[in-house]
């Protein structure tokens, strides 16, 4: 009995890693690694020029980084920070999305008005799909059948059949769409419009518009309320929306499409990532050069973490 109690105590006392948040810093050409346990930067790794989009392979053994001004996607070993190789990406890659097959990387090329598809195993371009002017936002449906590219100047979301690698629908949104995400069940597509100041919700089955969400923050001029990145909570009932130079994150009810709350964060909040246990949300604040940590349950900012200059993208590593 004493041995059993001793073993139990030792197990309970063993440290458990809470994971990491990886943040790209546009002006420093680096990524900052934040330890979720200590809420501090534990590593800074060099990248190519102007890193923006960032995502991990499914087993978290590789991290993909859009080095926009280097016109490449870099593949890094997250354990060492070593750049393993570059992937051909077309000009000015800004955002991308990794297909559920963990192999096909769909990349928005802002200067070329195309979406490039790269095979991450062979390192070859397997398709280039013409889209609208200044593509940026990327999303993939949970079943992997549809990829979305949003085009800033064309003000459209382009629906791409991943088997045919062709556009099968185009839907208009408000001015300068920035980010897109499917709901966890794949039934809806949400698209943010930075200059339009809205988030549009579409029915994924027929691409019909279901809702158009607007934002108003007391004491903040409407021109500064610019929706960009957003994230769904694990249960899919709530959406946190970064509102750019308004320096706030909106909390939206995903079922009623009503704005329930606003959280004050750093200056020019852009993208976000949840901690592995989903209890905290980390926002990249470009102008203030820091990350705000939001307590998800209480919907309040609890800490500011200094990172590099102009943090842009964020991704989670358990």
């Amino acid at each position: 009995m004493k041995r059993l109690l001793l073993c139990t105590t030792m197990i309970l006392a063993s440290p458990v890693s809470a994971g990491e948040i990886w943040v790209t810093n546009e002006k420093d050409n680096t990524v900052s690694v934040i330890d979720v346990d200590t809420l501090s930067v534990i590593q800074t790794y060099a990248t190519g020029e102007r890193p923006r989009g960032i995502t991990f392979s499914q087993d978290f053994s590789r991290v993909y980084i859009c080095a926009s001004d280097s016109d490449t996607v870099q593949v890094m070993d997250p354990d060492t920070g070593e750049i393993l190789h570059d992937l051909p990406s077309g000009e000015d890659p800004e955002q991308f999305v990794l297909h559920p097959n963990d192999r096909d990387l769909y990349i928005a090329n802002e200067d070329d008005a195309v979406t490039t598809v790269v095979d991450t195993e062979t390192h070859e371009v397997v398709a280039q799909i013409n889209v609208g002017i200044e593509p940026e936002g990327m999303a993939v449906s949970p079943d992997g059948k549809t990829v979305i590219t949003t085009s800033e100047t064309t003000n459209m979301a382009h629906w791409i059949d991943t088997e045919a690698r062709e556009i099968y629908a185009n839907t208009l949104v408000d001015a300068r769409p920035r980010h897109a995400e499917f709901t966890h069940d794949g039934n809806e597509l949400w698209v943010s419009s930075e200059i339009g100041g809205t988030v549009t919700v579409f029915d994924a089955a027929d691409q019909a518009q279901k809702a158009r969400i607007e934002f108003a923050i007391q004491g903040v001029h409407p021109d500064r309320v610019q929706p960009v990145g957003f994230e769904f909570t694990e249960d899919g009932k709530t959406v946190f929306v970064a509102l750019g130079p308004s320096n706030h994150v909106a909390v939206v009810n995903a079922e009623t499409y009503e704005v329930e709350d606003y959280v004050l964060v750093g200056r020019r909040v852009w993208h976000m990532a949840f901690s592995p246990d989903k209890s905290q949300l980390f926002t990249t604040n470009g102008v203030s050069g820091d990350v705000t940590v939001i307590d998800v349950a209480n919907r309040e900012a609890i800490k500011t973490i200094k990172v590099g200059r102009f943090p842009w993208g964020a991704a989670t590593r358990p």
Side-chain angles (χ1 to χ4, degrees):
M1 179 63 73
K2 288 183 179 180
R3 175 178 291 182
L4 177 61
L5 289 173
L6 177 61
C7 291
T8 303
T9 303
M10 292 177 64
I11 292 171
L12 292 174
S14 299
V16 178
S17 174
E20 300 167 344
I21 305 297
W22 286 55
V23 174
T24 54
N25 302 304
E26 282 190 276
K27 297 294 186 181
D28 281 352
N29 302 331
T30 61
V31 291
S32 298
V33 183
I34 297 171
D35 182 272
V36 175
D37 276 321
T38 63
L39 299 182
S40 62
V41 174
I42 56 172
Q43 294 286 352
T44 300
Y45 296 125
T47 67
E49 296 180 12
R50 200 182 181 190
R52 290 192 276 183
I54 182 169
T55 194
F56 283 91
S57 60
Q58 289 182 7
D59 64 359
F60 299 97
S61 65
R62 301 178 304 280
V63 57
Y64 300 99
I65 300 164
C66 277
S68 299
D69 286 356
S70 296
D71 295 331
T72 192
V73 169
Q74 296 184 311
V75 184
M76 178 183 286
D77 181 339
D79 291 328
T80 66
E82 176 189 359
I83 301 296
L84 301 174
H85 53 266
D86 291 347
L87 296 174
S89 67
E91 290 189 23
D92 194 16
E94 187 159 349
Q95 287 203 67
F96 46 26
V97 68
L98 186 62
H99 191 276
N101 65 15
D102 202 30
R103 181 166 179 167
D104 294 334
L105 193 66
Y106 285 75
I107 307 164
N109 298 123
E110 190 167 26
D111 290 349
D112 283 351
V114 300
T115 294
T116 298
V117 188
V118 175
D119 186 318
T120 59
E121 293 187 11
T122 66
H123 306 174
E124 295 178 350
V125 173
V126 294
Q128 286 196 307
I129 304 159
N130 292 326
V131 292
I133 301 171
E134 291 190 293
E136 175 166 342
M138 298 295 305
V140 61
S141 59
D143 62 10
K145 294 181 178 180
T146 300
V147 160
I148 302 295
T149 299
T150 65
S151 297
E152 290 182 58
T153 302
T154 311
N155 299 332
M156 279 186 175
H158 310 284
W159 302 67
I160 299 169
D161 182 314
T162 57
E163 184 173 351
R165 291 177 177 148
E166 295 178 349
I167 293 174
Y168 67 87
N170 297 292
T171 47
L172 284 169
V173 293
D174 289 330
R176 195 179 290 177
R178 281 290 193 180
H179 190 69
E181 291 281 349
F182 282 91
T183 52
H184 298 325
D185 59 13
N187 291 335
E188 292 180 348
L189 175 74
W190 289 47
V191 180
S192 65
S193 297
E194 181 185 13
I195 301 303
T198 61
V199 171
T200 305
V201 183
F202 296 98
D203 187 317
D206 59 8
Q207 300 83 54
Q209 181 174 315
K210 294 181 66 175
R212 184 172 173 271
I213 303 165
E214 298 180 337
F215 306 90
I217 305 171
Q218 187 174 1
V220 177
H221 193 281
D223 287 350
R224 298 187 63 81
V225 180
Q226 300 175 7
V228 278
F230 56 89
E231 296 289 335
F232 290 88
T233 54
E234 191 170 26
D235 61 11
K237 295 181 179 180
T238 305
V239 186
F240 287 83
V241 183
L243 298 178
S246 75
N247 307 334
H248 282 77
V249 170
V251 185
V252 179
N253 186 312
E255 297 173 336
T256 65
Y257 311 119
E258 297 294 326
V259 180
E260 296 181 340
D261 207 350
Y262 293 99
V263 182
L264 179 64
V265 293
R267 298 171 60 198
R268 201 215 70 168
V269 55
W270 208 250
H271 283 289
M272 300 174 287
F274 283 106
S275 59
D277 67 2
K278 313 298 182 182
S279 67
Q280 296 174 331
L281 182 66
F282 294 72
T283 75
T284 60
N285 311 318
V287 173
S288 52
D290 52 32
V291 168
T292 300
V293 185
I294 296 174
D295 182 307
V296 172
N298 295 321
R299 300 178 179 180
E300 64 180 10
I302 59 173
K303 188 175 177 64
T304 298
I305 305 167
K306 198 69 179 175
V307 288
R309 292 181 299 160
F310 278 74
W312 196 94
T316 305
R317 185 189 186 206

